Amino acid sequence: MSLDRLNKHQREAATRIEGPILILAGAGSGKTSTMTERIAYMIEQGISKYNILAVTFTNKAAKEMRERVEDLVGNIEGMWITTFHSMCLRMLKMDPTKIGYGKNFLIYDTTDQKTLIKSILKARNLSEKEFPIRGIMSTISHCKENILSPKKYLAENEDNYRNRIIAEIYAEYDKQLRANNAMDFDDLLLNGWRLLNENPEVLDEYRRRFRYVMVDEYQDTNYLQYLIVKLLAEEHENICVVGDDDQCIYQWRGADIRNILDFEKDFPSAKVIKLEQNYRSVGNILAGAHSVIENNRDRKKKKLWTDQEDGKKIRYYRAETERDEARYVAQEIENLKIAEDLEWSDFAVLYRTNAQSRTFERYLMDRGIPYRILSGMRYYDRKELKDMIAYMRLIINPKDDVSLRRVINEPKRGIGPKSVAALEDMAQAMGKSMMEVLLDGTGLSVFRGKTLASAEEFTDLVRLLSKEQENLTVSQIYDELLVRTGYVKMLEDEGTVESEGRLENLMEFKSEIADYEKEARENGETSELGDFMEKLALMAEVDNHDETQNAIVLMTMHSSKGLEFPVVFLPGLEDGIFPGSRAMDDKDKMEEERRLCYVAMTRAKKRLFLVSAAMRTQYGRTDYTRESQFLREIDPKLLEGDSVYRGRAGGESLGVSTGSWDGFRAEKPKKPFDMLKFAKEATKANVSAPRGGDDFHAGDKVKHIKFGEGLVIEEDANTLTVIFDTVGRKKLAKGIAHLSKA
């Protein structure tokens, strides 16, 4: 390999291996290249890939880093390039019993947490209005991030009635998580720290293995992540952290800027290397961003520079209203696309809050401009997908009562709340989960008549797929669930536009599974349902940003971190919106808002447009606005267009359309999904095709999609025993074996 592609400071960072290092990498300064070159250099110097740990924050960033390193040094199988949550999950899966968990524990996402807390409130006759679920979740998350147990939180809040009740809810929530053999996302970090902190032999093992630790985006680490990194690295001190205090924008969800600002206090011998040459943005954009961020006091002194041209000045437009603001953005996008021969995907509109997207959607739709919204709600949070995911999780872990409650009557089976409550009472009395008492037969006694038949059918399906999951691919399990649960039939029978859309989503999910299985095959790995569910649970929304989709991207400024676009629009630059009203009288919050402004401005490569509205209607109220403090901080010599201190007057009254169809297409097609009928028929064909049973007998040569070719050696009423060339003897259930004649 050659380090010639790196500049002087990047090369120093890449070749300094021993001892603690802090790399202050400004926006667009090539930190990913520097980190990958550093890993490749270490391997070339004879350091084993097994002794290197590289941790970042998103699956996308980890995947990109792994691919770049492999391009430089070849196969790096066995090396950990991962996210914090994935790293902790991997450690916990190896030693779950050391922290009191069983194998195959589940990961509960936000929806599961809400369901569990809602059931606790109901059991205690507590009102959701008095104790909002989101507020309780936030408190529990804060407690876990700061290692506050329910008992300790209660001790600190004994004199506060409300907090005392929340502490009791927290305790019950924690108890039920353990009973379900489940963890939430905060538990992954908390239990990962506990595993290392409370088990010296485990910590010593990982310290011996990971002699060299690298952490990306160190400014975004929270207290627990900081403690985990410190535990792993404090003995050998071969730690390299990379980050930019000017881009710490997640303090509201636990990120602690002190971790990067105080790194030299934790490791006094640390070498600090600054990467200040920017390769992304033209000079005027960098200068404008710096003129804002230099107003922060709590930051390490640095200034980005570039050898690119200054480029065009930053353009500012003072709109009359939010409608005029959206009209201006849409019009400028159309003009620039033609004048500079750009693609739709070259444009991004970044706003402070999701609520601001509504007006932009309307104007883009009216002009036939394709767009895509990247928002906080994940594709996987849609009801139909959550239902199928719950079924799959129940197959993996029958102790998962949250998933059972979600799907036991979905589709409708006549199993109402009273029956579920009776089943729950029986399970608690027996010290088991609800699914476990159904599987052993005792739980079925709470049902009668048609409901009993439905409950038996539901139980038999879970039992069959749980037993056969090792013999089936993820795709096959998913297809079986789609049809055997009656979910596809339910949506077909509805025959509404909404049900057609839900079917589309279920079919698109098949593509996600197929991609997972393809990647597993290419990596020489087996595709297992448990592994797929873990990958799904750890996927962040920003990982789903498809850079190949030719559409304008609308997203929040927070979501844009790590991305870049030739042309960026920043609307809503008004005091009270950005910076937000809560930051106006709080120094720390104002500095974080300013860092967010810096991040948003430095997403732009060639052109940057700033927009505000003189009058804005929000939540049914219309107010006159004052231009953002951040606009007033930009050097006037860098701006063109309207004066920051002068609003526009006059202008036409603008109307708006009735909204958008799906947030991406310019107009609604005649058919919601041309391939929908084909996809449904393909799913049914796949499930209804001959897959075992009377068609196969002892002596037949058969082929299995997962195990390859084999020979049937035994047969009884319910199973086939097959000797496969690859895995040896397997007993397969008839009717679900997915076999064909060899």
Side-chain angles (χ1 to χ4, degrees), residues 371-575:
Y371 65 93
R372 177 174 183 260
I373 293 183
L374 186 68
S375 66
M377 179 173 177
R378 302 187 308 165
Y379 169 77
Y380 307 98
D381 286 336
R382 298 175 183 181
K383 181 186 183 303
E384 58 275 10
L385 297 183
K386 293 293 295 180
D387 288 345
M388 298 313 297
I389 288 170
Y391 271 112
M392 291 190 283
R393 285 168 39 167
L394 202 55
I395 290 167
I396 297 171
N397 184 0
K399 291 186 176 182
D400 186 11
D401 280 347
V402 170
S403 291
L404 182 134
R405 289 191 191 96
R406 183 180 186 94
V407 298
I408 193 170
N409 198 42
E410 192 66 38
K412 302 300 182 190
R413 298 185 175 93
I415 301 175
K418 289 185 178 179
S419 297
V420 174
L423 180 64
E424 185 173 11
D425 290 341
M426 177 181 288
Q428 289 179 351
M430 297 177 66
K432 295 182 177 181
S433 72
M434 289 189 282
M435 193 70 242
E436 286 176 318
V437 297
L438 285 175
L439 290 171
D440 68 20
T442 56
L444 294 170
S445 62
V446 305
F447 304 104
R448 297 287 184 273
K450 291 182 179 179
T451 304
L452 174 59
S454 296
E456 287 176 336
E457 187 178 356
F458 169 81
T459 303
D460 289 343
L461 176 61
V462 174
R463 179 187 291 112
L464 176 64
L465 292 178
S466 296
K467 182 180 178 182
E468 292 295 308
Q469 62 178 298
E470 292 183 1
N471 300 329
L472 300 170
T473 65
V474 181
S475 295
Q476 290 168 341
I477 293 171
Y478 183 68
D479 285 344
E480 296 286 346
L481 286 170
L482 283 178
V483 175
R484 292 187 183 227
T485 60
Y487 211 100
V488 167
K489 185 177 186 303
M490 173 190 72
L491 295 177
E492 287 176 338
D493 291 345
E494 284 183 18
T496 63
V497 173
E498 181 184 359
S499 66
E500 290 285 314
R502 294 174 67 188
L503 277 168
E504 289 178 22
N505 293 332
L506 289 172
M507 296 307 147
E508 182 60 28
F509 192 50
K510 290 185 64 166
S511 301
E512 179 74 21
I513 295 172
D515 290 341
Y516 159 74
E517 291 177 331
K518 180 183 177 183
E519 183 177 345
R521 286 194 302 271
E522 290 174 349
N523 293 334
E525 301 169 350
T526 58
S527 52
E528 304 293 343
L529 181 59
D531 290 335
F532 173 72
M533 299 304 289
E534 287 168 9
K535 290 181 185 295
L536 203 62
L538 293 170
M539 186 176 291
E541 172 61 23
V542 74
D543 296 325
N544 298 326
H545 172 51
D546 183 0
E547 296 173 355
T548 65
Q549 193 174 55
N550 192 19
I552 295 166
V553 176
L554 275 63
M555 70 174 87
T556 63
M557 296 174 180
H558 281 100
S559 296
S560 72
K561 190 169 181 291
L563 304 176
E564 59 183 38
F565 303 89
V567 184
V568 169
F569 291 83
L570 304 183
L573 291 179
E574 301 135 33
D575 284 346

Side-chain angles (χ1 to χ4, degrees), residues 609-622:
F609 292 79
L610 311 177
V611 194
S612 68
M615 188 169 60
R616 184 175 297 275
T617 301
Q618 275 194 313
Y619 314 118
R621 175 178 171 177
T622 301

Side-chain angles (χ1 to χ4, degrees), residues 282 284-285 288 310-319 328 332 336 340 567-570 573 601 606-612 627 631 634-646 648:
V282 294
N284 283 331
I285 292 175
D310 288 341
K312 294 187 177 181
K313 290 185 176 182
I314 301 169
R315 177 166 284 275
Y316 173 59
Y317 180 74
R318 178 69 163 166
Y328 169 77
E332 285 297 310
L336 277 172
E340 301 188 17
V567 184
V568 169
F569 291 83
L570 304 183
L573 291 179
M601 293 177 74
K606 299 296 183 184
R607 297 295 306 274
L608 177 61
F609 292 79
L610 311 177
V611 194
S612 68
E627 291 155 310
L631 282 172
I634 297 176
D635 186 342
K637 292 183 293 185
L638 301 171
L639 293 171
E640 65 178 9
D642 291 339
S643 166
V644 169
Y645 298 100
R646 176 175 57 82
R648 291 175 57 83

Side-chain angles (χ1 to χ4, degrees), residues 6-34:
L6 303 181
N7 64 38
K8 175 184 175 183
H9 298 291
Q10 290 174 331
R11 193 178 302 115
E12 182 184 6
T15 56
R16 191 180 184 94
I17 305 303
E18 303 296 329
I21 306 167
L22 169 59
I23 302 175
L24 290 173
S29 63
K31 73 177 178 67
T32 304
S33 296
T34 304

Side-chain angles (χ1 to χ4, degrees), residues 58-76:
T58 67
N59 295 306
K60 179 181 177 182
K63 182 180 179 182
E64 181 183 359
M65 188 182 298
R66 174 174 290 276
E67 289 173 349
R68 288 203 192 186
V69 174
E70 286 181 336
D71 287 342
L72 292 172
V73 299
N75 182 25
I76 56 170

Side-chain angles (χ1 to χ4, degrees), residues 184-247:
D184 61 25
F185 260 48
D186 293 310
D187 283 326
L188 289 179
L189 298 180
L190 177 59
N191 289 328
W193 171 78
R194 285 182 53 216
L195 178 67
L196 297 174
N197 190 58
E198 298 172 6
N199 298 277
E201 73 284 359
V202 176
L203 177 60
D204 288 342
E205 178 186 341
Y206 284 113
R207 279 178 171 174
R208 284 194 302 271
R209 173 167 183 180
F210 299 130
R211 301 289 301 169
Y212 299 88
V213 177
M214 296 177 64
V215 185
D216 190 16
E217 303 288 6
Y218 192 63
Q219 78 281 349
D220 292 333
T221 52
N222 62 25
Y223 181 57
L224 269 176
Q225 290 160 338
Y226 160 78
L227 290 177
I228 291 169
V229 170
K230 199 165 185 288
L231 275 175
L232 290 172
E234 63 183 352
E235 185 175 84
H236 52 69
E237 291 199 343
N238 293 325
I239 178 171
C240 172
V241 300
V242 186
D244 182 7
D245 52 300
D246 288 337
Q247 296 187 73

